[in-house]
Amino acid sequence: MKRILTGDRPTGRLHLGHYVGSLKNRVKLQHDYETFIMLADVQAMTDNFEHPEKLEENIRQVVLDYLSVGIDPKVSTIFIQSKIPEIAELTVFYMNLVTLARLQRNPTVKDEMKQKGFGANVPLGFLAYPVSQAADITFLKADLVPVGVDQIPMIEQTREIVRKFNELYGHVLIEPEALVGEVERLPGTDGKSKMSKSLGNVINLSDDSATVKKKVMSMYTDPNRIHGDEPGKVDGNPVFTYLDAFAGESYKSQVISYKEKYEKGTIKDVEVKEFLVQVLEEFLEPIRKRRAEFEAQPDLIDKILKEGTEKARKEAQETLNLVKHAMKIDYF
Ligand code: TRP
């Protein structure tokens, strides 16, 4: 069976953008691929090293997010990055295979550096996190990495490292492929191009009904439409993007008719938003229910993490042995 490895930084709860970008694919593919999902706490430290205390609680919350959307711990292995020290070892070896200039050209790293305002004072750990991500993916010999579009440059960089390693030391590592969601990028509730915790424009998978309603009712729509009787734009209007992403089969014809009316100017923003609230509630309600069931079993989460980490660790030790053998540093 081919393998999936993917993961998230446990810096907060997961949101609708995570769902469409990656979680949906993970749930769908977990029976066709041997699936490993990593809580990237070491990577989270690269921009949260002043607040390591945030990680423990967020690890639990993200695991609850996974379970509540339908990740089945019987078939998917969930583990914690910092508990796999072999990843750090691999990272050190891979560092030699990447140039500083190449890291500085990584478009996602570039964007994040700008967003965080590091200026000339970029922490080395931050700049190098794509190398550590290559170690995450390759220690498991993953074939497929379901991720959001912003992660494509990381997978590309991983592939380069793999090619370089295999060329130098022999064919040991697997070149992975990225898989992005059908809806590649969900805009924020404020209309910004990306739903992102740091921008404060997210709807979390664990938000309650009142919160979802409040966030949707204050969503950004077509900025040029002032009155409900004016024709409005559907393309690029986040309310319609969400409808396209979350309306199930039974709502499809209604979505089409709402779009037509919106473009003609015969429906108000508030009516479309009320419809979106209904659609999102239908999507989120079963997720909330499953979350509550798992929240009531904190020991189960510990067990999932412990067993998952043990399983991943064995894989890591095996890969590291192969890597050291290939590099001719398995002295005795
Ligand atoms: N960089 C990913 C994010 O910010 C998290 C991550 C860490 C990851 N290691 C990974 C994703 C390995 C896929 C594969 O969301």
Side-chain angles (χ1 to χ4, degrees), residues 49-278:
F49 56 87
E50 296 105 327
H51 297 292
E53 73 285 353
K54 285 201 312 200
L55 297 174
E56 188 169 5
E57 174 56 19
N58 282 320
I59 283 175
R60 303 194 73 80
Q61 294 304 333
V62 173
V63 174
L64 283 168
D65 287 326
Y66 293 159
L67 301 174
S68 65
V69 295
I71 295 291
D72 178 356
K74 291 196 188 71
V75 295
S76 292
T77 303
I78 304 174
F79 67 97
I80 300 180
Q81 186 183 24
S82 63
K83 293 279 187 189
I84 316 284
E86 289 77 11
I87 294 176
E89 259 186 274
L90 282 175
T91 302
V92 172
F93 297 141
Y94 295 171
M95 293 257 190
N96 299 319
L97 312 179
V98 184
T99 66
L100 179 59
R102 176 64 182 88
L103 282 167
Q104 286 167 331
R105 273 200 309 274
N106 181 311
T108 299
V109 171
K110 252 165 112 173
D111 280 356
E112 289 174 342
M113 274 179 355
K114 214 181 290 159
Q115 196 194 321
K116 291 175 204 306
F118 285 135
N121 302 311
V122 189
L124 192 49
F126 181 83
L127 188 65
Y129 90 75
V131 184
S132 144
Q133 190 156 333
D136 301 338
I137 295 168
T138 53
F139 94 79
L140 261 160
K141 305 210 174 73
D143 303 279
L144 194 66
V145 189
V147 277
V149 267
D150 60 314
Q151 293 296 302
I152 287 179
M154 304 301 158
I155 314 306
E156 194 43 50
Q157 195 142 28
T158 300
R159 293 166 64 90
E160 286 173 28
I161 290 171
V162 167
R163 287 199 288 267
K164 186 108 197 213
F165 184 99
N166 287 347
E167 205 180 283
L168 282 170
Y169 307 121
H171 193 94
V172 175
L173 304 176
I174 306 277
E175 239 183 273
E177 282 190 42
L179 177 71
V180 298
E182 245 171 82
V183 179
E184 288 193 354
R185 197 193 285 275
L186 203 66
T189 52
D190 58 356
K192 293 225 173 81
S193 71
K194 185 181 164 184
M195 192 177 267
S196 153
K197 184 167 29 71
S198 51
L199 298 173
N201 61 8
V202 307
I203 295 176
N204 286 323
L205 292 162
S206 54
D207 279 348
D208 61 25
S209 298
T211 308
V212 170
K213 178 150 197 209
K214 199 169 123 222
K215 288 179 178 173
V216 171
M217 295 319 278
S218 61
M219 259 176 88
Y220 178 107
T221 56
D222 173 357
N224 297 317
R225 188 180 196 235
I226 315 229
H227 301 290
D229 55 0
E230 291 168 15
K233 264 182 75 175
V234 165
D235 277 348
N237 183 328
V239 175
F240 285 102
T241 311
Y242 288 19
L243 281 174
D244 284 337
F246 293 100
E249 274 315 309
S250 62
Y251 283 120
K252 292 286 182 216
S253 60
Q254 208 176 333
V255 173
I256 293 172
S257 109
Y258 271 54
K259 284 181 180 171
E260 285 169 2
K261 288 185 187 156
Y262 199 83
E263 284 175 335
K264 279 196 235 139
T266 57
I267 194 168
K268 295 196 191 93
D269 275 14
V270 57
E271 292 169 84
V272 188
K273 287 178 174 178
E274 272 161 6
F275 176 43
L276 177 59
V277 170
Q278 184 189 342

Side-chain angles (χ1 to χ4, degrees), residues 169 323-331:
Y169 307 121
V323 160
K324 286 185 168 173
H325 180 73
M327 294 175 78
K328 307 199 189 316
I329 57 170
D330 56 345
Y331 309 115

